[in-house]
């Protein structure tokens, strides 16, 4: 996985379920189930255990888990080998990484 830039703000473990608006600065890693809006000025990492539904607004978004919704990224969106995205991606840069597994992009993409 690409190494996120910036200071780590936190981590949401697989045992966490969150619904609502989550706003942070720095870098946040999510392994949890989240439904709602995620707002960031730096980096959001959705780990392999993440199941996120809603809207993401951020700079850099790295997805190794599952996301369903709309992403607005000022920087880049990176879909890791096990990442699954259903929805829309609005970003100036999209990276899809593949190793043993295939990334899935089931989305209209506006670059």
């Amino acid at each position: 996985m690409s190494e996120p830039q910036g200071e780590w703000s936190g981590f949401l473990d697989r045992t966490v379920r969150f619904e609502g608006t989550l706003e942070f600065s720095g870098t946040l890693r999510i392994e949890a189930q989240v439904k709602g809006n995620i707002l960031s000025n730096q980096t959001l990492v959705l780990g392999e255990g993440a199941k996120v539904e809603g809207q993401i607004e951020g700079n850099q978004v790295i997805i190794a888990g599952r996301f369903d919704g709309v992403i607005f990224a000022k920087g880049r969106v990176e879909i890791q080998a096990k990442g699954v995205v259903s929805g829309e991606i609005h970003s100036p840069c999209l990276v899809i990484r593949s190793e043993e597994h295939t990334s899935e992009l089931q989305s209209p993409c506006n670059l």
Side-chain angles (χ1 to χ4, degrees):
M1 183 179 291
S2 293
E3 194 62 33
Q5 302 296 315
E7 184 177 324
W8 284 93
S9 296
F11 176 82
L12 294 179
D13 189 75
R14 292 176 189 232
T15 60
V16 174
R17 289 186 182 180
F18 179 86
E19 188 166 337
T21 298
L22 181 61
E23 188 170 352
F24 67 95
S25 36
T27 298
L28 178 71
R29 181 178 183 93
I30 295 177
E31 293 287 346
Q33 292 184 21
V34 176
K35 187 173 187 176
N37 298 319
I38 302 173
L39 310 172
S40 167
N41 63 1
Q42 289 186 8
T43 303
L44 172 65
V45 178
L46 301 184
E48 290 184 16
K51 293 180 182 174
V52 178
E53 181 181 335
Q55 182 170 301
I56 295 172
E57 295 180 30
N59 186 37
Q60 180 177 350
V61 180
I62 300 169
I63 301 171
R66 302 184 70 83
F67 176 76
D68 184 8
V70 181
I71 300 172
F72 295 97
K74 295 176 186 166
R76 73 185 221 168
V77 174
E78 181 176 320
I79 303 172
Q80 294 289 313
K82 294 183 180 180
V84 177
V85 175
S86 298
E88 296 180 27
I89 298 174
H90 302 268
S91 175
C93 179
L94 174 64
V95 176
I96 299 176
R97 299 207 182 269
S98 181
E99 294 173 16
E100 298 172 9
H101 303 280
T102 304
S103 296
E104 294 179 36
L105 175 63
Q106 305 167 355
S107 309
C109 188
N110 299 304
L111 301 175

